[in-house]
Structure formats: structure tokens, C-alpha cells
Amino acid sequence: MAAPASVDPVDTRTGAGPRPGPVPWVAMYHSVGDATDDPYRVTVTPDRLSAQLGWLRRRGLRGVSMTDLLAARARGEGRDLVGLTFDDGYADFVEHALPCLRGWDCGATLFVLPGRLGGVNAWDPLGPRKPLLTADGIRRAAAEGVEIGSHGLTHVDLTRADDAALNAETAESRALLAELTGAPVTGFCYPYGTVDARAADAVRAAGYDYACAIDPGALTGPYALPRVHVGQNDTALRLLLKTRLHRLRRRAAAGV
């Protein structure tokens, strides 16, 4: 088993030292649109997304970006906040997800692929092919207050990448996105959710403040944040069960 990635001793946004606490609940979304042809279960309809965000608000919770969530937690606050993340940078985010987020006064983090601007999700062999955001689409999302993070350069498994590819997917993607948006890029999301200590160390060395996985196993801390998949079948009851299961499974971790 790989050794856990080390954790920065000081939070770079606040100067506060790490404080163990329950790992925050972070929802993982992908595409928002027509969910009828969805072999990977990565799509929710706009109506379902709106219903899920409404469920959060009725429970006194609000979805926010990862940077806002982690900053609040570093201050000892934010127990009423939930991280909302959208992977891959699908073009339908601007058309369908943004109106839902605005309607429920929620923020979010959008993890995009600067090496595939205006392309399609070619990494999904079963399809269907979905268009990805262009540079203008990413800028529009950023202008609406959405945090833009990196999902790597081209969507490759970092645990299988050689050193050159690992650098390109982490450091080069961050530089490209900073140039595209004109703002610092502080968040990373591991493609396929897969992470090991080497990948986590590369992300930290590239200058990110945090990184999201799915189930990071033995790794803990701000560069191995777990998330909960949210899909079309997640009704209010399923969401309630997922939040409770998260609290049972995730132990306290320093730095988050």
C-alpha cells in the first residue's frame, strides 16, 4: 500500500494550522442534460439537478465552490456548506447547470481540460459523444462566479502516467488555465478519480491548494479529498442515505 501523501502544515489561504475534523461532503457531478443515453451514469437532467439543489437548501445547506468550502472550514465554519463539483467541462454546464445554480443561490467548481477545448469526451469508449466547453465557455462560467479548476490536460489516469505526462497534466494544465481565465487556478481533480502518493505529490508540487478524488483509500488531506457521486437516480431519500454513509465512512483528517 502506498504511503499517505504528506499534508501542508499551513493552510495557504488563511495561515491557520491544520485542524482535524469531519471531511466535508462534496458532490461529484458531470454532465447536465439529456440522460436517456448514459451508459456511465454521468448525466443528470436540469430538473433533477434543480431538485437536488432544492433538497440541500431545504435542509439548511448550500452548495459552494471547493475554495469557498475549504476556506470556511479552515476558519472553523462552514458546517452548513456542501462542495459542488462538475467534472470534465461539458458544454452543457453553461446552458443547463448555471441557471440551476443561480436559481438556488449556489456556487460550484468546474474542473476542465485545457488540452481538449471544444473537443468531446473521447476517453469514454461507449459514448455518447458530448461536446466540451470552448475557451469562451470556460470564461463565461468564470464570469458567473464559478471556480475553474484543472481536470488535467487531456483526461489520463495519473497513476499510470510517466514523469513527462504527469508534469503536463498537472503543471502545464494549471498554467494554461491561468492564462485562459486570467486568475489563479488552485484546484485539481484526478481523472477517473484515481490517485496515489506520487500523483498527489505532483499536484502539490505544481502549486495547487487542493485536489479532489473519489475514494482515495489510505490517502487523506487536502490533496486527496473524497467525493460522492450524484446521478440521475439520486432522489431525496438516496441523497440522505449518501450523506449519512459519508459521515460514517470518512474519518477526521488534518488540513480540511
Side-chain angles (χ1 to χ4, degrees):
M1 179 180 297
S6 54
V7 176
D8 283 341
V10 176
D11 186 288
T12 59
R13 293 173 296 280
T14 65
R19 57 192 68 183
V23 175
W25 200 81
V26 180
M28 177 183 66
Y29 288 95
H30 290 79
S31 174
V32 182
D34 184 358
T36 55
D37 185 10
D38 187 30
Y40 296 101
R41 297 184 300 167
V42 297
T43 308
V44 297
T45 64
D47 286 346
R48 179 66 78 192
L49 174 60
S50 183
Q52 292 164 345
L53 298 181
W55 178 84
L56 289 175
R57 298 313 302 266
R58 287 189 296 274
R59 293 182 62 82
L61 303 171
R62 184 167 69 90
V64 297
S65 70
M66 289 303 300
T67 287
D68 287 347
L69 174 65
L70 295 175
R73 293 296 291 260
R75 298 191 300 268
E77 304 169 357
R79 302 297 169 153
D80 60 340
L81 301 180
V82 170
L84 296 181
T85 63
F86 292 79
D87 290 8
D88 302 334
Y90 290 103
D92 56 32
F93 179 87
V94 169
E95 181 180 0
H96 297 307
L98 272 180
C100 292
L101 293 169
R102 284 197 302 262
W104 290 105
D105 189 27
C106 288
T109 298
L110 176 64
F111 293 112
V112 301
L113 299 154
R116 293 188 183 270
L117 298 177
V120 296
N121 57 327
W123 59 89
D124 287 335
L126 298 181
R129 290 291 162 254
K130 290 177 174 280
L132 304 178
L133 286 166
T134 63
D136 285 343
I138 293 172
R139 293 189 191 100
R140 179 178 170 187
E144 292 278 353
V146 174
E147 178 189 12
I148 304 300
S150 173
H151 199 29
L153 194 63
T154 58
H155 204 286
V156 301
D157 184 345
L158 297 192
T159 65
R160 299 181 179 184
D162 60 26
D163 289 346
L166 190 58
N167 180 71
E169 296 290 328
T170 56
E172 290 183 24
S173 70
R174 181 170 184 253
L176 287 171
L177 284 178
E179 181 180 1
L180 188 157
T181 62
V185 177
T186 60
F188 188 87
C189 174
Y190 300 101
Y192 306 103
T194 55
V195 57
D196 57 15
R198 174 172 168 265
D201 286 342
V203 169
R204 181 180 54 189
Y208 296 94
D209 288 348
Y210 72 87
C212 291
I214 298 178
D215 186 352
L219 300 179
T220 65
Y223 295 97
L225 296 172
R227 295 181 297 165
V228 178
H229 167 74
V230 180
Q232 180 67 10
N233 294 329
D234 286 319
T235 59
L237 177 59
R238 285 172 60 94
L239 286 174
L240 179 62
L241 292 175
K242 285 188 174 185
T243 58
R244 290 183 174 176
L245 181 61
H246 173 79
R247 288 197 296 267
L248 291 173
R249 291 181 62 200
R250 301 301 178 189
R251 65 187 184 276
V256 294

